[in-house]
Amino acid sequence: MTKRIGLFPGTFDPPTLGHLDIVKRAAGVCDHLYIGIAQNLGKREQLFNVEEKQAMLLELTHTIPNVEVVTFSELVVEFAKRKEVSFLIRGLRPFADFEHEFQMALANRMMAEIETLFLMADERYAHVSSSLIREIAHFGHRLKGFVPDAIEDIVHQRVLMHRQ
Ligand code: ADP
């Protein structure tokens, strides 16, 4: 049987408990799961560079045997083709994500005939986003319950550093 290779692409600036939940569940439906960190040329200034994001995601997922953390700088579909990916994985939060995700999924299918599997956000994390986290930390509040404990300190410090 052909291997089911999934690719969960994203910006992960920073990785959140919502991302991690999607990774854990996606790993259960894939033989191999790539977490793909996009090098977003032209997107807003990032809190963390890709090497830092990769290190954090490695630390958070090293116990899941079929997960591999990679970075890419081309179009998602080009990268997916190069890695012989069977389908993309995306998380879907209520309200916030549908329109954009629908557009991306259709565009990716049109360009490369690749399907996107959507996993519904867990109700515990449906409100969690990287931008909300940056906003909360900007005002000095701690991030417990938003980002994994292992990276809470560094994310909090980094947002405060960027504030100056
Ligand atoms: P992008 O800039 O590509 O949207 P993100 O890092 O913001 O990258 O998100 C990557 C994926 O993770 C997207 O599919 C997004 O919908 C999903 N995601 C983000 N936060 C959550 C969450 N709290 N619960 C479930 N999925 C999420």
Side-chain angles (χ1 to χ4, degrees):
M1 211 174 79
T2 49
K3 268 186 147 192
R4 290 162 307 181
I5 304 175
L7 167 63
F8 180 36
T11 311
F12 306 107
D13 193 47
T16 71
L17 283 169
H19 292 134
L20 193 58
D21 175 62
I22 296 293
V23 168
K24 286 178 183 158
R25 288 158 55 204
V29 298
C30 299
D31 296 306
H32 191 79
L33 176 68
Y34 291 110
I35 304 176
I37 306 165
Q39 299 235 34
N40 278 313
L41 306 166
K43 246 199 174 179
R44 60 154 193 84
E45 195 196 336
Q46 301 281 297
L47 271 184
F48 293 98
N49 64 37
V50 283
E51 291 79 19
E52 292 171 318
K53 292 175 187 176
Q54 189 167 25
M56 286 189 283
L57 283 163
L58 265 174
E59 181 180 351
L60 298 171
T61 62
H62 74 274
T63 52
I64 315 173
N66 60 337
V67 168
E68 189 178 343
V69 185
V70 292
T71 67
F72 67 97
S73 51
E74 68 263 63
L75 264 180
V76 168
V77 290
E78 302 290 348
F79 180 66
K81 218 184 288 175
R82 198 150 62 76
K83 292 288 193 183
E84 301 185 342
V85 162
S86 327
F87 46 78
L88 304 176
I89 297 273
R90 297 284 283 178
L92 207 52
R93 287 162 295 186
F95 319 117
D97 288 328
F98 186 78
E99 207 176 312
H100 176 66
E101 293 295 340
F102 189 72
Q103 188 179 36
M104 290 306 301
L106 289 190
N108 288 334
R109 190 140 56 88
M110 199 173 120
M111 287 188 284
E113 291 182 4
I114 191 160
E115 291 292 351
T116 306
L117 297 193
F118 291 98
L119 300 184
M120 294 289 177
D122 186 279
E123 69 275 11
R124 284 169 299 170
Y125 311 123
H127 60 293
V128 173
S129 72
S130 298
S131 56
L132 176 70
I133 283 165
R134 292 192 298 269
E135 197 171 323
I136 291 170
H138 178 85
F139 293 102
H141 204 280
R142 302 302 308 202
L143 298 169
K144 194 166 173 53
F146 290 91
V147 301
D149 287 346
I151 62 167
E152 197 274 339
D153 222 30
I154 182 164
V155 175
H156 189 255
Q157 296 303 333
R158 183 62 60 92
V159 176
L160 291 183
M161 208 172 89
H162 270 238
R163 193 170 67 163
Q164 280 144 23

